[in-house]
Amino acid sequence: MLIIGCHLSSSKGYLAMGKEAVKIGANDFQFFTRNPRGGSAKPLDLEDIKAFEEYRKANGIVSVLAHAPYTMNACAKDEGLREFAKNTMLDDIMRLDNIEGALYNFHPGSHVGQGEDVGIQLISDMLNSILTKEQKTLVLLETMAGKGSEVGRTFGEIRAIIDKVTLNEKLGVCLDTCHVFDGGYDIVNNLDNVIEEFDKVIGLDRLKAIHLNDSMNYLGAHKDRHAKIGDGGIGLEAIERIINHPKLKNLPFFLETPNDIDGYAREIALLKTLYKD
Ligand code: FE
Ligand code: FE
Ligand code: ZN
């Protein structure tokens, strides 16, 4: 069974997201924990979460992925910004621990001229100050396109962060197809090699989610502009190979394509027809 869904607005709460997912044929979904440009989260509504968990069981929603705000930069130069990133992640994890098997994805950060090594150190320092044995939420590092000074463009950088984190059993990876393609990994012509390299450098056991996006740009463009499925440099045939690859096909896929809700429903329906059970 293809586990597929898309990014949804969280403004009406968990139950509303669950219902919207089911309505568009999805069995997973992603949402922002708070305004993607920052700000505080809504108060935790435990009634809503309880209703959602019941709805979810009855309707087969397999996976829930929360996305941290973009403004969170764990390796900012400014200490106040790093403190903001830390407090945001702490608060997000505390909330997400109320959701069964929640995954929490974040952009590792931008080193803003301090260099990758400093970036990697600051990101792992932050994770070391946040992660606890008791937390249930799994924190995912997203593979990045390498726009500006983004850390996490290469599998090696992701691995370096994981290696510096003591409680790294709380860490996983979310592979974004647009980002890795823009980052220079040829998932169109060499998917097997890219997956093999991921396995060698990071380990496929760390791979917990896929952001399924086409790219408006070419291989290695470092731009990070998502395109609709089949509308970009990756193309529909490569996307069909990705969702059917034996090492990927059982992972949850999340669309972050430029679509309204009807567009997402159409992409989900299309991908289901391309999936081989
Ligand atoms: Fe992201
Ligand atoms: Fe993404
Ligand atoms: Zn992106």
Side-chain angles (χ1 to χ4, degrees):
M1 179 189 64
L2 178 60
I3 307 170
I4 181 82
C6 65
H7 191 91
L8 296 175
S9 160
S10 60
S11 62
K12 295 197 187 96
Y14 281 100
L15 181 60
M17 285 191 282
K19 287 183 173 170
E20 184 154 46
V22 168
K23 205 167 87 189
I24 59 171
N27 51 6
D28 71 22
F29 62 87
Q30 175 180 265
F31 64 98
F32 282 122
T33 56
R34 58 192 75 215
N35 184 312
R37 305 272 158 225
S40 53
K42 286 194 315 223
L44 196 59
D45 183 348
L46 292 173
E47 283 301 305
D48 174 50
I49 290 177
K50 196 166 157 247
F52 166 68
E53 291 293 359
E54 278 168 27
Y55 182 84
R56 179 182 172 180
K57 274 182 202 93
N59 291 278
I61 296 172
V62 182
S63 184
V64 175
L65 176 59
H67 196 304
Y70 295 141
T71 42
M72 212 176 86
N73 187 3
C75 55
K77 210 168 187 168
D78 180 85
E79 207 190 319
L81 292 178
R82 295 203 301 270
E83 195 63 20
F84 167 81
K86 178 183 163 179
N87 292 333
T88 301
M89 186 179 277
L90 270 170
D91 188 51
D92 280 348
I93 291 174
M94 183 266 291
R95 291 156 179 280
L96 290 167
D97 268 358
N98 294 286
I99 304 292
E100 276 291 312
L103 301 171
Y104 178 53
N105 172 73
F106 79 110
H107 296 180
S110 293
H111 65 68
V112 289
Q114 303 173 96
E116 288 91 56
D117 292 347
V118 173
I120 287 163
Q121 188 63 51
L122 289 172
I123 295 160
S124 44
D125 286 349
M126 185 186 88
L127 289 167
N128 277 324
S129 73
I130 289 175
L131 302 179
T132 64
K133 269 201 189 74
E134 293 72 35
Q135 78 177 70
K136 289 178 272 174
T137 301
L138 196 65
V139 177
L140 307 186
L141 297 145
E142 181 168 357
T143 60
M144 301 310 293
K147 192 177 65 179
S149 64
E150 277 172 352
V151 180
R153 179 183 63 80
T154 65
F155 299 158
E157 289 178 7
I158 302 261
R159 174 60 195 255
I161 297 167
I162 294 172
D163 278 344
K164 286 178 184 288
V165 174
T166 313
L167 281 173
N168 66 25
E169 69 263 31
K170 302 294 181 185
L171 292 180
V173 176
C174 173
L175 184 141
D176 186 307
T177 55
C178 167
H179 295 178
V180 292
F181 185 70
D182 278 30
Y185 291 99
D186 193 354
I187 53 174
V188 175
N189 299 300
N190 282 312
L191 180 62
D192 279 331
N193 294 352
V194 174
I195 294 171
E196 221 170 274
E197 186 171 346
F198 186 102
D199 193 28
K200 222 169 47 200
V201 177
I202 302 176
L204 276 171
D205 54 326
R206 295 272 181 195
L207 184 56
K208 303 296 179 188
I210 308 267
H211 281 165
L212 190 64
N213 304 306
D214 212 324
S215 169
M216 286 191 185
N217 293 288
Y218 52 88
L219 178 72
H222 305 307
K223 290 273 205 262
D224 189 6
R225 300 273 315 277
H226 300 190
K228 291 182 186 175
I229 295 301
D231 251 17
I234 298 175
L236 193 56
E237 274 177 43
I239 284 169
E240 180 176 359
R241 287 194 291 273
I242 290 166
I243 60 171
N244 285 298
H245 194 284
K247 299 275 161 87
L248 308 179
K249 65 179 301 180
N250 296 317
L251 290 166
F253 293 88
F254 301 87
L255 296 162
E256 301 176 306
T257 44
N259 272 305
D260 58 14
I261 201 72
D262 294 331
Y264 276 134
R266 283 194 296 274
E267 285 190 348
I268 289 166
L270 168 69
L271 291 162
K272 283 181 176 173
T273 67
L274 299 176
Y275 187 75
K276 297 164 195 88
D277 269 301

